[in-house]
Amino acid sequence: GDTTSFFDDVKRGYTQTALFGSVDYEIIPKKLTFTAGTRYYDYKNTEKGARVFGYSGCYQAGPPPCQAAWPGANIDAEHLSSTASGFSSRLNLSWKVDSDALLYYTWSQGYRPGAFNRTSTPDKFGGEYNTPIAYQSDKLINNEIGWKTEWADHSVQFNGAVYQEDWTNAQIPFFDPRVLGELTFNTNGPNYRARGLETAVIWRVTHGLTIQGSSAWNSSEQANSPFLTVNANCSATTVPACGAPIVGTNVYGAKGSPIAMSPPLMVNARIRYEWAVSDYQAFWQIGATHQAHELSVAGNTSSIAPNTGNSGTTAAAYDIPGFSTYDASIGAARNNWTVQFFGQNLTDKRASVFISNALAIETQTVIRPRVLGLKIGYKF
């Protein structure tokens, strides 16, 4: 209604300083190479502004009872500033077996800087929990063994990698107005581990005919199961001890749960044939992709285990079915001109790639329906 107001006036500042260096050393000349690199980072975050809102006829500048009920937040008064520094490094060992094969091992680190939420607001759990004013960096360590090879007189290329990634202190977003306040906010949550295998093949069967494909298999799991904790300075007498877990409120999901939006298998393949017709270079191409089932977010977080939903009840994660799509195209080029007729999602498959109830109703993001088109191009 026209007597309800809600707006944010938030200014965030970021200052980052970084220094990067890398060294290669040939243990065996032109055969075995060791690489070490690191990036030193130093960043500072600041936040200023205000959060202003009023419901049921109360404006921020309304009478004192309204101001008491809907006080808003003066972010300037919180003097929000945080700094962090450290190193993000990488080690690599490459072995050139011969002119057609390379093996490597890589250990590497990554991180995302922490930042601030718009403000800290009381939770609906009997006042036990205040949303955090800030959240910290999360980090990832990757261990990877890979290969790059060519076979059959360089007509076949076969590459791949096996990896394990350990993601700690993951930044998790929440939006659950009836349970966790009316603002989206981030916390530091669980640790995750992902293991996988990726491969890619390109085969030049004959002059003009090429077959290529790739696949990715992934297995992921949540390594721990943290809880929201009671305010460290709480005063309520009916809740657990201050700083203790809020009993029964595991909003991050159960230990062993897979990572959301991480299908265990993805495969694609393509066949392309090119040939000459008089002064024209013609081609035809067909392709297919397959994606296995995956779990979408539960309730209003990025964790996929049963979670507190928008209604304050437990809402299970959505299991999105797998699907396959097929594409094809045919075309020709002459001098600077090209023409191509194409078809995407030829079977007109109806499939979802994301499902959520974050807006209190189920919403789905779907793939494009069947598309047929004609492209004509000219290169200047």
Side-chain angles (χ1 to χ4, degrees):
D2 57 8
T3 61
T4 296
S5 63
F6 181 97
F7 69 88
D8 288 327
D9 176 18
V10 180
K11 298 178 182 179
R12 295 184 173 94
Y14 309 91
T15 301
Q16 289 204 36
T17 303
L19 177 66
F20 172 78
S22 181
V23 176
D24 293 343
Y25 176 70
E26 290 190 338
I27 301 173
I28 301 176
K30 299 183 180 180
K31 281 288 185 179
L32 188 63
T33 303
F34 175 72
T35 301
T38 191
R39 178 182 184 270
Y40 172 77
Y41 61 88
D42 182 282
Y43 69 82
K44 179 180 180 180
N45 295 329
T46 60
E47 183 173 279
K48 298 181 178 181
R51 180 175 66 96
V52 181
F53 59 92
Y55 302 111
S56 304
C58 287
Y59 285 104
Q60 177 65 18
C66 285
Q67 294 179 15
W70 308 105
N74 178 7
I75 300 176
D76 286 358
E78 297 172 351
H79 306 292
L80 299 180
S81 177
S82 68
T83 60
S85 61
F87 291 89
S88 182
S89 304
R90 175 181 179 270
L91 302 175
N92 176 265
L93 186 65
S94 297
W95 177 30
K96 191 173 183 180
V97 182
D98 54 35
S99 60
D100 296 332
L102 173 73
L103 304 178
Y104 70 88
Y105 165 73
T106 296
W107 177 90
S108 56
Q109 297 174 304
Y111 80 101
R112 292 187 299 180
F116 299 103
N117 292 309
R118 280 172 283 190
T119 187
S120 179
T121 55
D123 169 43
K124 300 298 184 181
F125 296 121
E128 299 178 32
Y129 178 74
N130 281 1
T131 57
I133 195 64
Y135 53 96
Q136 307 305 314
S137 301
D138 56 358
K139 298 181 179 180
L140 186 140
I141 294 179
N142 173 62
N143 282 276
E144 178 180 341
I145 297 175
W147 61 92
K148 299 178 183 294
T149 61
E150 291 185 345
W151 305 81
D153 196 23
H154 306 287
S155 64
V156 177
Q157 184 183 91
F158 176 49
N159 300 335
V162 179
Y163 58 84
Q164 174 177 296
E165 297 182 346
D166 292 296
W167 181 15
T168 58
N169 214 26
Q171 296 176 4
I172 302 295
F174 286 91
F175 176 67
D176 202 343
R178 298 187 185 182
V179 179
L180 294 171
E182 76 281 0
L183 295 177
T184 301
F185 67 94
N186 280 6
T187 70
N188 291 103
N191 301 332
Y192 295 98
R193 168 168 286 180
R195 292 172 171 153
L197 167 67
E198 294 183 344
T199 60
V201 177
I202 302 176
W203 178 22
R204 191 173 181 86
V205 184
T206 62
H207 179 72
L209 179 61
T210 304
I211 299 175
Q212 70 179 61
S214 64
S215 64
W217 171 84
N218 286 281
S219 175
S220 62
E221 64 175 348
Q222 186 171 315
N224 63 349
S225 187
F227 284 75
L228 298 180
T229 57
V230 179
N231 300 328
N233 59 347
C234 68
S235 59
T237 58
T238 59
V239 300
C242 296
I246 298 176
V247 178
T249 312
N250 183 353
V251 296
Y252 295 110
K255 182 179 179 180
S257 302
I259 299 175
M261 312 311 300
S262 181
L265 179 66
M266 298 182 71
V267 180
N268 70 78
R270 187 183 75 176
I271 302 176
R272 181 182 178 94
Y273 185 68
E274 300 175 341
W275 75 99
V277 181
S278 184
D279 293 335
Y280 295 87
Q281 295 294 321
F283 81 94
W284 60 260
Q285 176 179 297
I286 57 175
T289 63
H290 173 74
Q291 177 175 304
H293 85 105
E294 61 182 338
L295 294 176
S296 188
V297 294
N300 301 283
T301 77
S302 63
S303 58
I304 54 75
N307 203 348
T308 301
N310 209 22
S311 62
T313 61
T314 298
Y318 293 99
D319 193 340
I320 305 176
F323 62 92
S324 300
T325 61
Y326 305 92
D327 307 315
S329 60
I330 187 170
R334 182 176 184 270
N335 298 327
N336 295 336
W337 287 94
T338 60
V339 60
Q340 175 183 336
F341 178 71
F342 66 91
Q344 300 172 345
N345 191 7
L346 293 174
T347 60
D348 201 23
K349 178 68 176 180
R350 305 302 171 92
S352 296
V353 293
F354 182 78
I355 305 177
S356 173
N357 64 357
L359 300 178
I361 60 172
E362 180 181 312
T363 59
Q364 298 191 21
T365 301
V366 299
I367 64 174
R368 297 183 69 183
R370 177 169 52 227
V371 176
L372 303 178
L374 178 66
K375 291 183 178 179
I376 300 175
Y378 182 81
K379 296 181 180 180
F380 294 93

